[in-house]
Amino acid sequence: MTVTSHPPLAPRRGAARATTWWGKAWVRALEEAAYAETDLRRARSLARSGAVGGISITTGRVVAAVADQVRGRDEELHTVEVRVPVLDAEGRAALVEVVAAEAGRIGALLAGDLPHGLVEHADEAGVELLPYGTEMETTCTCVGWLDPCPHALAVLSQVAWLVDADPLVLLHLRGLPRDDLLARLHARSAQPEPADELDAAHLDTALDAAVRAARILELLDRDDDASVDHLL
């Protein structure tokens, strides 16, 4: 199983929101998952301040630690785990076909772009790339009862930044890591194209020509020039 570890992200000033359309879609999903605006504000503050540690991403799973300090208490370190649904084998195969369907799509992904057409065609194939709020399951070691809590929302906020910068993070979470995607595309391109099948008429013509050629060779061996002229 491929695990990608991202070092702690540097603190960011201002809103520090996603800038791409797919990054914003991730942000909308985490906002849908939140219970209250106060939780979102707290989460954004934690994410921007650098309270989130290194983030580990694997198929369907994100793990990170969040340092939090409540007024009058010592700083506490909480472990957050986020889970999103993973594509099944059929879904992964369909996604590879969608990526390979148009020239330039894999190049766009490697360059940090997620074409609208790719996502739309994936949806048509029954493959959902962009998550929605109720898909995101979170756990945290804090004593809070909300799910997701502000610590989990802070991690999700930073994952939005990672997805914003590299849409392949999104594919990894859905079950298709970068190296796996490239290997599947390479294997697909290396397969020979299936030969065109002859239709019935062409097949009959080819068989007739083969029979005539064999008969001519037989007559030539017998020096029967008249019969050869008749066949020609």
Side-chain angles (χ1 to χ4, degrees):
M1 183 176 294
T2 303
V3 180
T4 304
S5 297
H6 299 268
L9 300 178
R12 300 189 181 188
R13 294 182 178 181
R17 291 183 177 272
T19 58
T20 62
W21 70 268
W22 60 90
K24 293 176 181 177
W26 182 280
V27 171
R28 284 195 299 272
L30 75 89
E31 290 175 346
E32 291 172 359
Y35 279 86
E37 181 62 30
T38 54
D39 295 334
L40 286 171
R41 287 198 295 268
R42 178 62 179 152
R44 290 169 188 147
S45 176
L46 289 169
R48 291 195 303 265
S49 66
V52 179
I55 297 176
S56 293
I57 293 178
T58 188
T59 298
R61 185 169 177 258
V62 177
V63 177
V66 181
D68 193 9
Q69 185 172 18
V70 180
R71 185 176 301 175
R73 299 180 184 178
D74 294 334
E75 183 177 83
E76 296 181 353
L77 196 63
H78 307 292
T79 301
V80 171
E81 181 176 339
V82 178
R83 289 190 176 275
V84 295
V86 175
L87 299 174
D88 58 17
E90 184 178 346
R92 293 193 297 273
L95 181 55
V96 171
E97 290 301 313
V98 169
V99 173
E102 288 190 12
R105 281 183 173 173
I106 184 58
L109 286 170
L110 294 174
D113 185 24
L114 182 60
H116 273 282
L118 190 157
V119 176
E120 291 171 355
H121 292 164
D123 285 341
E124 293 171 0
V127 178
E128 291 188 358
L129 279 179
L130 298 170
Y132 48 88
T134 55
E135 281 191 312
M136 296 176 168
E137 299 180 1
T138 67
T139 59
C140 181
T141 57
C142 72
V143 297
W145 59 272
L146 292 177
D147 178 17
C149 66
H151 308 116
L153 291 171
V155 173
L156 287 170
S157 295
Q158 287 208 356
V159 173
W161 302 349
L162 295 176
V163 170
D164 198 50
D166 183 5
L168 287 172
V169 172
L170 178 59
L171 271 65
H172 189 171
L173 278 171
R174 288 302 202 184
L176 198 60
R178 179 183 184 276
D179 291 345
D180 189 11
L181 172 63
L182 294 177
R184 286 169 178 256
L185 290 171
H186 177 73
R188 183 184 181 281
S189 64
Q191 293 177 354
E193 292 293 329
D196 293 332
E197 296 182 0
L198 295 174
D199 58 29
H202 289 166
L203 183 58
D204 289 343
T205 301
L207 288 174
D208 181 67
V211 171
R212 284 175 176 271
R215 181 59 176 160
I216 289 172
L217 290 175
E218 179 184 347
L219 294 173
L220 286 175
D221 289 339
R222 292 163 49 185
D223 292 330
D224 192 344
D225 294 338
S227 296
V228 170
D229 291 339
H230 174 70
L231 287 173
L232 294 175

